[in-house]
Amino acid sequence: MIKRTMESLAFSDVFGRQMRFVVGPRQAGKTTLARNFLEKKGTPKLYYSWDDREIKNSYRKDPSFFMKDVLTCKKENEKVWLCFDEIHKMPKWKNILKGIFDGHEDIIQFIITGSARLDMLKYTGESLLGRYFAFRLFPLTLSELVAVPRKIEFSLVRPEPSAFVEKVLDGGLTDGGGFDDLLNKSGFPEPFLSDSSIFLAKWHNDYIEHYIKEDLRDLTNIHELEKVFDLIDILPSKIGNPLSLNSLREDIEVSHTAIRTWLTALKLVYVIFAIKPYSKNMIRSLKKAEKCYFFDWTRVENDASRFENYIACELFSFCSFLKDAGAGDYELFYVRTKDGLETDFLITHKKAPWILFEAKSNEEKMASHHITHSEALGGIPIVQLIKKKGIVRVSNRKYFTISADRFFCNLGVSIPDLQRKEI
């Protein structure tokens, strides 16, 4: 079984009485994460899927239908962990959840899992405010596959960037083939663990058609779903480049407004994520073209673009984990100058540049414009991540050329305040 880093984070006692909302792409492992945790806590029967009509009927007959099971599991002076999965499929689910939480928070610790609909809470001034923390579970990362010990500590004080990269390099773990499997199968657990090429093909074909269409239909007022699927088919060819809404509009023959609406919807249901160009004037940067990437990078056929998409997912997951852990405001951007010279990725901390990253399929000398960007952003390090294995080259403690498998294999982090209360 692959241990997910999110388990130690989302279910830590440090987050107190609040419900733990676990959100993220369909099929990323949210339900498995919750059920495995309940098994460890000795309460496997306290998992309730609201997809099950019997659970819905039980609630209608008795809003506290779960309490009989809770009382059989409860230990003295301990809260009982319970999971509601897909409760968002109930009408007025937020009011239902508020009533249940307010009535039973003294004896129950709630886990809430489901689709992107749960993530919509942050856009509403709803009654659940102050009653939950949200945690994002994304596809598998390489460090999760190799079960890397979490040696790199993050706290509210960010690590010095060059020392951080060097500490990653100090890790001696190897990927055991996981890197190639991730690139070829994706980080979604089911296809990743499958040894059948037929299953892989079927899963990837059905994922968008079944799961995403369902979420788009339920979450949005979009009526032209087939046009949205045309957009999904076009986007892989745009990976790595700033998106031109006008070009997409011409390709699909719809309005700018429609393209913007559909892109927003695809982000909401975790088909894609976007990164913006970095600018010290953040208001200006918001107006510039985003770059979009797929959570399922295997939708990208071009090898170089798929590799960049994979790097984007690893870095995006890393920043999201640190942010969800309360370790600081880490965000992912890209850097592009007016003359079109670009560095693929920039991680910032509290809006200040921290580390630059460039994805390269083949080992190449670091281009001079990356070094120029490094100096312009305060002399921060740049890490050129290479698809080829066995590469480690360091210059001036600022310019690193590293095989991607070596880097991400050892990118295991810990949050000291969580470790003291680790499960």
Side-chain angles (χ1 to χ4, degrees), residues 83-105:
C83 177
F84 287 151
D85 191 10
E86 304 289 340
I87 191 175
H88 60 272
K89 294 187 176 179
M90 285 289 287
K92 300 182 180 179
W93 66 273
K94 284 170 277 192
N95 289 333
I96 291 173
L97 199 51
K98 175 181 180 295
I100 291 175
F101 176 78
D102 288 350
H104 303 287
E105 64 167 302

Side-chain angles (χ1 to χ4, degrees), residues 19-23 118-119 132-136 324:
M19 292 180 282
R20 315 302 165 81
F21 279 28
V22 182
V23 300
L118 295 174
D119 205 29
Y132 74 97
F133 288 122
F135 301 90
R136 292 164 287 179
D324 289 352

Side-chain angles (χ1 to χ4, degrees), residues 35-150:
R35 299 197 79 156
N36 287 344
F37 177 70
L38 292 182
E39 189 76 39
K40 291 178 182 179
K41 302 301 287 187
T43 60
K45 67 180 180 181
L46 299 186
Y47 167 85
Y48 303 95
S49 173
W50 293 68
D51 266 337
D52 187 338
R53 183 170 297 278
E54 185 177 336
I55 297 299
K56 296 176 182 177
N57 290 338
S58 295
Y59 170 78
R60 292 186 179 103
K61 293 175 184 176
D62 176 11
S64 296
F65 70 94
F66 49 87
M67 282 304 297
K68 181 178 179 181
D69 292 337
V70 167
L71 293 175
T72 64
C73 296
K74 189 175 183 332
K75 298 177 182 178
E76 188 175 357
N77 299 322
E78 284 188 18
K79 284 189 175 185
V80 174
W81 284 87
L82 171 152
C83 177
F84 287 151
D85 191 10
E86 304 289 340
I87 191 175
H88 60 272
K89 294 187 176 179
M90 285 289 287
K92 300 182 180 179
W93 66 273
K94 284 170 277 192
N95 289 333
I96 291 173
L97 199 51
K98 175 181 180 295
I100 291 175
F101 176 78
D102 288 350
H104 303 287
E105 64 167 302
D106 55 331
I107 61 172
I108 299 176
Q109 196 80 59
F110 291 93
I111 304 167
I112 313 299
T113 58
S115 67
R117 192 185 315 242
L118 295 174
D119 205 29
M120 292 180 71
L121 280 169
K122 65 186 178 185
Y123 301 112
T124 66
E126 265 299 336
S127 53
L128 291 177
L129 188 65
R131 293 175 171 85
Y132 74 97
F133 288 122
F135 301 90
R136 292 164 287 179
L137 182 69
F138 296 129
L140 295 165
T141 63
L142 193 55
S143 65
E144 288 178 315
L145 297 184
V146 299
V148 60
R150 293 185 298 277

